[in-house]
Amino acid sequence: MAAPVLTDYYVDHKSTIPANAGDLVKLFVRRRNGTHGGPPRPVLMLHGRSVPAVAGFDLQYKKYSWAEELAKKDFDVFVMELQGSGLSTRPKMDDHRNVSPAVAQRALLSPHPNATPYTGPVTYASQLNNSQSDWDEVDRVVDFILGETGASKVDLIGWSAAAQQFGPYAIQHPGKVRSLFLLAPIFPPNGRASAPGTDFGAPVPLPVSLPAAAFGFPMTVGTKGGLDASWGNDLKCPDQREPGMVDEVWKAIMAVDPVGAGWGGPAGPPQGLNRIRNSYWWGWNSTTVPLHGTLGGTVPVCIVYGEHDSIVNTTPDLGLLYFSVPELYKAVPGPKKLMFRIACAGHQAPWERVANDVHTMSEHWLKQGKVDGATSGSYYRDADGALTPLE
């Protein structure tokens, strides 16, 4: 069997981010085409809040590339980066002065790129991207994919906060979406509402600058140690993650962030910092999910999350930071919906030992509309693949 064909694109897009509105920007898209002239079956994969899509979906280590494994199963796989992530245009993010002014954040910038911690004001005192700009960029890439492949619809695979983009996008553009597969989706049941009288309109004028501690800057930065610590919170099984995975993942993140790779201390060569865009999102909540009966109806939905994921299920007292995967499943109005809580997995499932299971589950969903023989319902999936109903 011939190997999937790799092609990288920079898709032109007229930006709708206030920081560079109207500018022609570049959206990075990686394609791994395994159809070899067969029927077009495009799949679009989208990253979450902090991990660039190429590092998340195309990790070139052993068989951890979800995109490549799907391409080997006859899919035409596209991996996209929104502005502010990976190799796409990063407005206002090359200037280290635009990192969050929090003391702990600024301290990470010494000795690289400046010898003493920068304590001055940011040069752009607002958040960066927003829900509408993200939806616009997804739509641009979807149209690009449909034009390249000749297909009429695309399947969507999103990890973590990608649910904030792909869920509302599918509701707004059901004619372009065949199905939705969400891994570890972030879903705030009480998330920000849309503007009154609209389904998905911006609730406030953009960009947002207040409160300054939350929205008065366009980016934060993350460290390798921070990634390791967050991941460690979810490691509950002895062999859940292979040795050396943090090193491999961090190397992949730095490879698509050449500016951030030159930042960070301590003394000596820079260890690198992951530049993370500061977002303002709305329109993904228990009110919008049922709109028009699209999800679970016109657009079938499959949801997968790890039983040890400490990020996607939080407590209701956290307000906008209250997240719940089961509440998302319940809010999906149509009958064409599946949910799986999988054993020995955390939020970083694409890089854990369950990765191959996730690849297979997504393949079966895309090809058959079912997983492990199930076409609807919610289940606990144990380490042997046996299902126990959750409802």
Side-chain angles (χ1 to χ4, degrees):
M1 179 186 298
V5 178
L6 170 64
T7 312
D8 286 343
Y9 304 92
Y10 287 90
V11 178
D12 288 335
H13 173 66
K14 184 175 287 188
S15 178
T16 55
I17 290 178
N20 62 346
D23 288 357
L24 193 65
V25 300
K26 302 291 185 180
L27 303 177
F28 180 78
V29 177
R30 170 160 292 176
R31 181 182 189 180
R32 290 194 177 274
N33 186 359
T35 61
H36 302 297
R41 188 62 191 271
V43 178
L44 175 60
M45 310 183 84
L46 180 66
H47 58 87
R49 185 186 69 87
S50 60
V51 175
V54 170
F57 296 119
D58 196 31
L59 183 66
Q60 291 299 298
Y61 179 68
K62 298 185 177 180
K63 291 190 176 182
Y64 283 97
S65 172
W66 190 351
E68 189 167 0
E69 293 306 307
L70 274 181
K72 291 176 182 177
K73 301 299 182 180
D74 305 320
F75 291 100
D76 195 353
V77 183
F78 296 80
V79 176
M80 77 167 287
E81 302 279 9
L82 296 163
Q83 276 195 88
S85 180
L87 296 172
S88 290
T89 298
R90 291 191 183 229
K92 309 297 182 184
M93 295 178 72
D94 287 354
D95 187 346
H96 68 276
R97 294 173 297 175
N98 279 330
V99 170
S100 165
V103 173
Q105 282 276 290
R106 291 289 177 84
L108 298 173
L109 300 171
S110 178
H112 307 286
N114 48 287
T116 57
Y118 175 68
T119 58
V122 297
T123 64
Y124 183 75
S126 298
Q127 48 77 217
L128 190 64
N129 61 295
N130 59 73
S131 288
Q132 188 61 59
S133 68
D134 287 350
W135 299 331
D136 292 341
E137 291 171 20
V138 169
D139 194 43
R140 175 68 184 97
V141 171
V142 167
D143 284 346
F144 169 78
I145 292 170
L146 298 181
E148 285 288 314
T149 63
S152 60
K153 293 186 176 184
V154 61
D155 292 286
L156 303 179
I157 294 179
W159 177 19
S160 189
Q164 304 255 11
Q165 287 83 43
F166 274 176
Y169 180 81
I171 296 170
Q172 296 175 78
H173 301 277
K176 299 181 182 181
V177 180
R178 178 180 286 107
S179 74
L180 184 59
F181 185 98
L182 298 176
L183 175 66
I186 298 296
F187 176 67
N190 306 317
R192 291 188 190 93
S194 304
T198 72
D199 284 350
F200 294 102
V204 295
L206 300 172
V208 177
S209 299
L210 298 174
F215 296 117
F217 50 90
M219 67 173 164
T220 59
V221 288
T223 65
K224 181 180 179 181
L227 169 68
D228 192 14
S230 175
W231 196 345
N233 291 334
D234 291 355
L235 297 179
K236 308 297 183 184
C237 298
D239 61 348
Q240 191 171 326
R241 180 181 75 188
E242 283 193 69
M245 288 303 295
V246 173
D247 292 337
E248 295 296 331
V249 169
W250 190 252
K251 182 171 32 175
I253 292 173
M254 291 295 94
V256 294
D257 189 358
V259 172
W263 291 359
Q271 293 187 352
L273 296 174
N274 179 23
R275 296 178 296 158
I276 302 167
R277 61 205 194 124
N278 190 16
S279 308
Y280 184 84
W281 287 323
W282 68 85
W284 183 234
N285 51 54
S286 58
T287 300
T288 56
V289 169
L291 284 173
H292 315 305
T294 299
L295 299 184
T298 308
V299 179
V301 178
C302 183
I303 300 167
V304 177
Y305 69 102
E307 67 172 333
H308 301 309
D309 191 328
S310 61
I311 293 175
V312 297
N313 291 309
T314 59
T315 57
D317 61 302
L318 293 179
L320 290 176
L321 296 179
Y322 165 44
F323 304 140
S324 173
V325 179
E327 288 298 318
L328 171 58
Y329 175 77
K330 287 195 290 186
V332 172
K336 299 176 183 177
K337 62 178 181 178
L338 271 169
M339 183 176 74
F340 298 92
R341 188 175 76 223
I342 55 177
C344 282
H347 196 67
Q348 316 298 351
W351 306 319
E352 295 178 358
R353 291 190 186 272
V354 297
N356 185 64
D357 288 345
V358 173
H359 301 166
T360 302
M361 294 173 78
S362 65
E363 177 201 348
H364 290 175
W365 169 253
L366 295 172
K367 287 185 175 179
Q368 305 167 15
K370 60 183 178 180
V371 178
D372 293 332
T375 57
S376 63
S378 60
Y379 304 89
Y380 175 72
R381 187 181 190 273
D382 70 18
D384 296 320
L387 302 184
T388 302
L390 290 173
E391 295 179 301

